[in-house]
Amino acid sequence: MEATSSRSCSYEEYKETADWLLNHTKHRPKVAIICGSGLGGLADLLENKTVFPYKDIPRFPTSTVPGHEGSLVFGKLHGHECVCMKGRFHFYEGYNINTVTYPVRVFFLLGVETLIVTNAAGGLNGSYNVGDIMLIKDHINMPGFAGQNPLCGHNDERFGVRFPCMSDAYDRGLRELAKGSAKEQGCDQFLQEGVYCMLAGPSYETIAECRLLKTLGADAVGMSTVPEVLVARHCGLRVLGLSLITNKVVTDYDSGEKANHEEVLRTTELRTQDLQKLVSNIITKL
Ligand SMILES: *[C@@H]1O[C@H](CO)[C@@H](O)[C@H](O)[C@H]1NC(C)=O
Ligand SMILES: *[C@@H]1O[C@H](CO)[C@@H](O)[C@H](O)[C@H]1NC(C)=O
Ligand SMILES: *[C@@H]1O[C@H](CO)[C@@H](O)[C@H](O)[C@H]1NC(C)=O
């Protein structure tokens, strides 16, 4: 698929991708997982895997970022059929917003009912520490304010309604389940719950922007997740979102600190086991 194509896709196109996958695997996943930066290890936990490199899947977009391998992994996690996106598509890579969310509608057509999204995010809330895991309770869609919403354009009722509700985007029951799982596994002391704000990126935020986002009520900021969640909610999937706080954003002009991608990847590596275990425990309880 052309990265910059501005055309939205038809039901038949999504269907062709879904049918091809259903023809090529016996797995019938009810849970889909989108792995964030450095969190692709979740896919390795699956048993009896069937792996499809994105480039082999008809009409599927392909991934360009280092550290974001591109494959769709089907398999079982504690007996639960899952499909895992190892490598996601970011708006900042130059993809059209419909391309970013293409896999979510494919998941819906595969029969998926629950979407779990993970990402790496910068902490805005002063009480957050690097390495905390934040359950997303709500989001602020900055690209949406600027007209970049994947639901713009013709609405196909086979996916969902024209004006979908977003006040319940992040499923309360799943969040409670996540809190219970975190407690059991002893990682509740670094579990937070807050508001995720999406910016388009790829540049990190300025100090003035960080201060603005804090004022607006955002607890963490990142460059993904929101488009996928909008499309998932539109077609009725339940959503659980988890942000790994990989750095604290700079809000002080006297601070010499600078945001950098290497720090993000390092922290991700440290906490990745805990996050993977948490997601896997949550899935066990679905
Ligand atoms: C899936 O398999 C069916 C039955 O074999 C076939 O008719 C159909 O064309 C296949 N679809 C795709 C997209 O591969
Ligand atoms: C994995 O596949 C093997 C052989 O096909 C089968 O015996 C086993 O039960 C499968 N395991 C799971 C967890 O489905
Ligand atoms: C920051 O996080 C804490 C702990 O989760 C929370 O109580 C608080 O409301 C959040 N927001 C602000 C602005 O401190």
Side-chain angles (χ1 to χ4, degrees), residues 90-243:
H90 296 91
F91 186 65
Y92 62 72
E93 291 174 79
Y95 292 112
N96 170 265
I97 196 108
N98 295 114
T99 307
V100 171
T101 57
Y102 190 88
V104 179
R105 285 188 167 162
V106 172
F107 294 154
F108 167 68
L109 293 174
L110 290 176
V112 164
E113 293 166 354
T114 304
L115 177 69
I116 300 178
V117 206
T118 65
N119 63 43
L124 289 162
N125 186 316
S127 68
Y128 287 10
N129 294 308
V130 167
D132 282 353
I133 294 170
M134 184 186 86
L135 284 171
I136 304 179
K137 94 174 161 201
D138 203 350
H139 73 221
I140 299 175
N141 179 14
M142 282 295 179
F145 290 0
Q148 288 291 349
N149 187 311
L151 302 175
C152 281
H154 169 72
N155 186 63
D156 193 319
E157 296 277 336
R158 286 171 286 186
F159 289 116
V161 297
R162 173 76 286 187
F163 301 108
C165 173
M166 283 297 148
S167 58
D168 59 350
Y170 299 87
D171 193 88
R172 187 184 292 266
L174 291 178
R175 277 186 279 139
E176 291 310 314
L177 206 80
K179 286 178 206 169
S181 300
K183 200 164 223 147
E184 274 173 33
Q185 121 186 22
C187 72
D188 52 324
Q189 75 280 3
F190 55 81
L191 190 74
Q192 306 281 1
E193 187 171 32
V195 176
Y196 176 85
C197 179
M198 180 194 175
L199 298 186
S203 49
Y204 283 109
E205 309 71 39
T206 64
I207 292 174
E209 285 164 352
C210 289
R211 290 179 169 193
L212 171 76
L213 299 182
K214 269 178 100 159
T215 308
L216 293 178
D219 294 295
V221 58
M223 305 173 192
S224 67
T225 304
V226 168
E228 292 102 316
V229 170
L230 294 173
V231 168
R233 291 303 298 147
H234 180 243
C235 60
L237 306 188
R238 293 170 81 198
V239 172
L240 176 70
L242 297 156
S243 292

